[in-house]
């Protein structure tokens, strides 16, 4: 009897394991980094489209006065005045300069003399706002996180629709489906031969999957909704399921067409039988079916290696928050509030950051995509009355969480290169669906967006780009210097393709060889370390 696609999926994985991915080849000594390039990615999706301009300040004095509400709100601080805007390194700010290259800056809501202050009034804005500490993590002179961060400003996302914008953030091209592989999958594929011990190259912790579109099976995403999903899907601990089936034997590693390959496959009796059955199906239907079966075949071989690796034991021995909590200013379980007690929540309610840390620290992954929110799962699709006011308060908290994640990584030594930190070997890519109409206009969808890059492979303490402040309503971006795929340097308004290409170039990946993005693309000049 012929095997149908449905039968193959059910026999191979069960419903929970369809997305299971892993690697080819035998474990080898881990490769060292190449010229300080990152070898991992943490992609953080802040859900819903965000008001970047309410946290960072990429505008001139005139732009702030035109598009940003004045400082107000007392305990629920909202809006800001030009006098609040500072460089995070505290060097003088020229708010008359139009850009497009500036140091990283933002409106300062905290008390520099006492960053934990939540009750004092800010005299810079005539006491119209109570101090709010969230966001200070980026400016803390003890850690200087801003030195490792760059904000890409004003890119045209090519859409103002959620699904299409999210795809644009992941692959560079807006649309209802992927027209190019996600940057996460491209990085996972590029790192596979260098780091064969990374059992799960591309992991997604919630949200739409960063698809691999045409790349080898190992680059496809594995969806793990939480740490609890590892045990039933990536281990053989459950005796009721695996009793009598755990024994594995190293068998010759054969390609889908039967060609011998290097290494072996640690197959159980079921694995061995299924792999043979799938190989027999080759050529019995269409070329499209063969391509589909080959992906399934390669995925299943990877699953065998992953389960023998016993990821669960590795993760159980890997701590999450361990370094930063030694600083009393950053306890492991912290609570944030939008005001004194208007809305409060614990760090755990903003996304599975702890599990993402375990995955990255364990060295089992190359890319992790994390669905991030604010406290109590607040997402940023804020169309309601005064939505932009609430949005800004929650966004400060969300970026505080992202910053604390980056600090923990900066304090953690790399396992593959002890001379660097985990943050040095990881590029943190923070994105959203799109931008939003500027606060004086409301909080609707807007295609001009930003991306925040932190960590390895980039020149930090930069804000590149801006907004056309001559426009009425919500402005689009301004021209920036870009290195086109031809090598020519041009000045034009950036788009989502340019952000994706800049992310990939940070890894030293070569256009046309390691990746391709439809529609043409450039790289933000001065961002990628050479």
């Amino acid at each position: 009897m012929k095997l149908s696609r449905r039968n193959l999926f059910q026999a191979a994985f069960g419903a929970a394991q369809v997305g299971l991915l892993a690697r080819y080849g035998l474990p080898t000594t881990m490769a060292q980094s190449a010229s300080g390039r990152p070898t991992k990615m943490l992609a953080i999706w802040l859900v819903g489209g965000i008001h970047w301009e309410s946290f960072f300040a990429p505008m001139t004095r005139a732009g702030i006065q035109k598009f940003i509400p004045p400082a107000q709100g007392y305990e629920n601080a909202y809006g800001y005045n030009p006098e609040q805007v500072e460089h995070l390194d505290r060097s003088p700010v020229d708010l008359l300069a139009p850009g497009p290259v500036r140091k990283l800056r933002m409106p300062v809501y905290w008390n520099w003399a006492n960053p934990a202050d939540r009750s004092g009034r800010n005299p810079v804005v005539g006491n119209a706002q109570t101090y709010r500490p969230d966001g200070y993590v980026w400016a803390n002179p003890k850690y200087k996180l801003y030195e490792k961060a760059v904000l890409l400003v004003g890119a045209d996302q090519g859409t103002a629709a959620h699904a299409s914008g999210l795809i644009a953030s992941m692959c560079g091209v807006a649309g209802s489906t992927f027209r190019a592989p996600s940057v996460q999958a491209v990085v996972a594929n590029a790192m596979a031969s260098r780091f064969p011990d990374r059992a799960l190259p591309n992991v997604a912790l919630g949200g739409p999957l960063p698809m691999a579109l045409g790349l080898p099976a190992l680059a496809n995403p594995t969806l793990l909704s939480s740490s609890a999903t590892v045990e039933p899907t990536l281990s053989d601990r459950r005796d009721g399921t695996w009793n009598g089936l755990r024994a594995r034997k190293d068998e010759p590693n054969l390609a889908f067409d039967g060609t011998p390959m290097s290494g072996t496959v640690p197959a159980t009796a079921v694995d061995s039988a299924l792999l043979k059955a799938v190989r027999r199906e080759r050529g019995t239907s269409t070329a499209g079916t063969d391509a589909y079966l080959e992906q399934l075949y390669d995925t299943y071989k990877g699953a065998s290696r992953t389960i023998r690796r016993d990821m669960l034991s590795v993760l159980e021995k890997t701590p999450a928050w361990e370094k930063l909590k030694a600083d009393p200013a950053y306890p492991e379980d912290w609570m944030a509030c939008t005001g004194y007690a208007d809305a409060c929540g614990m760090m755990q309610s903003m996304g599975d950051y702890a599990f993402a840390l375990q995955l990255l620290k364990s060295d089992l992954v190359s890319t992790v995509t994390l669905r991030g929110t604010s406290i109590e799962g607040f997402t940023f699709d804020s169309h309601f009355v005064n939505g932009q006011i609430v949005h800004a308060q929650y966004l400060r908290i969300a970026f505080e969480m992202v910053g604390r994640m980056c600090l923990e990584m900066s304090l953690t030594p790399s396992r593959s290169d002890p001379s660097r930190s985990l943050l040095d070997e990881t590029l943190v890519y923070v994105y959203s669906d799109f931008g939003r109409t500027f606060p004086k206009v409301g909080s609707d969808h807007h295609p001009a967006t930003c991306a925040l890059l932190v960590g390895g492979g980039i020149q930090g303490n930069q804000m590149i780009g801006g907004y056309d402040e001559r426009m009425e309503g919500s402005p689009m971006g301004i021209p920036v210097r870009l290195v086109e795929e031809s090598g020519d340097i041009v000045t034009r308004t950036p788009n989502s393709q340019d952000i994706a290409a800049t992310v990939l170039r940070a890894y030293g990946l070569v256009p046309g060889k390691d990746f391709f993005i439809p529609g043409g693309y450039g790289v933000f000049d001065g961002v990628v370390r050479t």
Side-chain angles (χ1 to χ4, degrees):
M1 176 174 137
K2 298 294 184 184
L3 291 173
S4 69
R5 293 184 180 188
R6 178 184 295 273
N7 290 337
L8 279 169
F9 267 95
Q10 290 178 338
F13 304 105
Q17 291 178 304
V18 168
L20 187 59
L21 266 284
R23 93 163 4 3
Y24 303 109
L26 290 171
T28 62
T29 302
M30 289 184 180
Q32 296 297 304
S33 63
S35 304
R37 301 287 188 189
T39 67
K40 295 178 182 176
M41 176 186 291
L42 171 61
I44 301 177
W45 167 43
L46 294 180
V47 181
I50 63 177
H51 281 284
W52 294 92
E53 73 287 343
S54 71
F55 187 78
F56 297 100
M59 290 171 286
T60 65
R61 174 179 291 272
I64 293 170
Q65 292 170 333
K66 182 176 182 179
F67 297 109
I68 304 297
Q72 57 194 279
Y74 297 101
E75 287 80 12
N76 293 290
Y78 165 67
Y80 55 90
N81 298 344
E83 292 73 26
Q84 278 178 275
V85 176
E86 297 188 42
H87 287 151
L88 298 189
D89 65 6
R90 307 211 71 183
S91 62
V93 175
D94 181 3
L95 285 179
L96 299 180
V101 181
R102 309 168 176 87
K103 289 185 175 182
L104 200 62
R105 69 193 191 197
M106 62 179 62
V108 171
Y109 291 92
W110 57 83
N111 180 353
W112 282 107
N114 178 18
D117 186 358
R118 288 181 173 271
S119 58
R121 295 287 176 87
N122 187 353
V124 174
V125 294
N127 299 322
Q129 291 177 337
T130 303
Y131 285 124
R132 304 258 56 90
D134 302 316
Y136 173 73
V137 66
W138 295 92
N140 188 336
K142 179 178 179 180
Y143 300 108
K144 298 182 179 180
L145 185 56
Y146 56 84
E147 291 186 343
K148 299 182 177 181
V150 60
L151 185 72
L152 308 180
V153 183
D156 186 351
Q157 196 78 326
T159 183
H162 285 290
S164 181
L166 184 52
I167 287 176
S169 290
M170 287 193 280
C171 76
V173 186
S176 58
T177 59
F178 281 83
R179 292 170 53 202
S182 66
V183 293
Q184 296 96 315
V186 173
V187 171
N189 184 58
M191 296 299 134
S193 60
R194 293 179 55 197
F195 299 92
D197 280 353
R198 291 181 181 172
L200 291 174
N202 182 5
V203 173
L205 306 183
L209 297 177
M211 303 306 294
L213 190 66
L215 293 177
L218 61 86
N220 284 328
T222 299
L223 176 61
L224 298 175
S225 57
S226 69
S227 56
T229 58
V230 176
E231 188 268 338
T233 60
L234 299 177
S235 78
D236 58 5
R237 286 196 182 179
R238 293 198 173 186
D239 199 56
T241 302
W242 287 91
N243 187 29
L245 298 174
R246 294 186 178 91
R248 295 181 179 276
K249 182 176 68 173
D250 287 331
E251 295 193 352
N253 183 17
L254 300 178
F256 177 57
D257 63 2
T259 302
M261 301 176 67
S262 62
T264 58
V265 177
T268 65
V270 173
D271 297 340
S272 181
L274 183 66
L275 292 173
K276 290 177 183 177
V278 176
R279 285 200 302 270
R280 285 197 299 267
E281 293 299 303
R282 180 175 176 268
T284 62
S285 184
T286 65
T289 299
D290 276 356
Y292 175 86
L293 290 173
E294 184 173 9
Q295 286 273 319
L296 179 60
Y297 180 81
D298 290 339
T299 296
Y300 199 85
K301 286 197 297 183
S304 299
R305 296 189 179 101
T306 298
I307 292 174
R308 185 168 77 169
R309 178 75 190 277
D310 193 8
M311 278 185 53
L312 191 57
S313 294
V314 175
L315 289 170
E316 287 173 343
K317 297 174 183 176
T318 304
W321 299 95
E322 56 172 334
K323 305 294 184 180
L324 187 60
K325 65 183 181 181
D327 185 336
Y330 298 102
E332 181 176 0
D333 295 311
W334 60 282
M335 175 178 286
C337 300
T338 58
Y340 281 140
D342 299 89
C344 300
M346 301 296 290
M347 61 176 286
Q348 295 93 333
S349 66
M350 290 186 270
D352 211 340
Y353 285 86
F355 185 36
L357 274 172
Q358 283 185 295
L359 288 166
L360 291 165
K361 289 184 177 185
S362 70
D363 220 26
L364 291 169
V365 300
S366 286
T367 71
V368 175
T369 302
L370 174 66
R371 180 185 186 275
T373 65
S374 191
I375 50 175
E376 299 305 305
F378 178 92
T379 61
F380 297 101
D381 192 15
S382 46
H383 293 272
F384 51 88
V385 175
N386 293 328
Q388 67 272 37
I389 298 176
V390 176
H391 184 125
Q393 297 162 26
Y394 278 96
L395 188 62
R396 285 198 299 270
I397 296 170
F399 270 118
E400 174 74 14
M401 183 71 236
V402 173
R404 292 190 183 204
M405 179 75 164
C406 291
L407 282 192
E408 175 67 27
M409 294 168 67
S410 74
L411 298 171
T412 302
S414 162
R415 293 183 62 171
S416 57
D417 184 355
S419 68
R420 302 201 298 168
S421 71
L422 179 59
L423 185 60
D424 291 332
E425 72 170 358
T426 305
L427 181 61
V428 181
Y429 170 36
V430 184
Y431 60 90
S432 192
D433 311 25
F434 34 65
R436 303 195 79 82
T437 51
F438 278 39
K440 282 188 175 179
V441 180
S443 189
D444 205 350
H445 300 184
H446 186 49
T449 191
C450 300
L452 180 65
L453 307 180
V454 191
I458 61 165
Q459 305 277 1
N461 196 16
Q462 293 193 90
M463 180 180 290
I464 299 180
Y467 296 101
D468 186 350
E469 297 174 4
R470 301 167 301 175
M471 297 180 68
E472 298 303 321
S474 293
M476 298 297 290
I478 60 173
V480 301
R481 278 170 57 94
L482 294 156
V483 182
E484 299 282 28
E485 52 188 311
S486 64
D488 296 334
I489 296 180
V490 301
T491 300
R492 61 168 172 79
T493 304
N495 54 43
S496 57
Q497 288 101 319
D498 303 326
I499 289 178
T502 302
V503 168
L504 294 175
R505 285 296 291 146
Y507 292 85
L509 302 181
V510 180
K513 175 184 176 183
D514 300 310
F515 68 91
F516 172 75
I517 302 172
Y521 48 88
V523 173
F524 280 76
D525 190 32
V527 173
V528 176
R529 289 188 180 275
T530 56

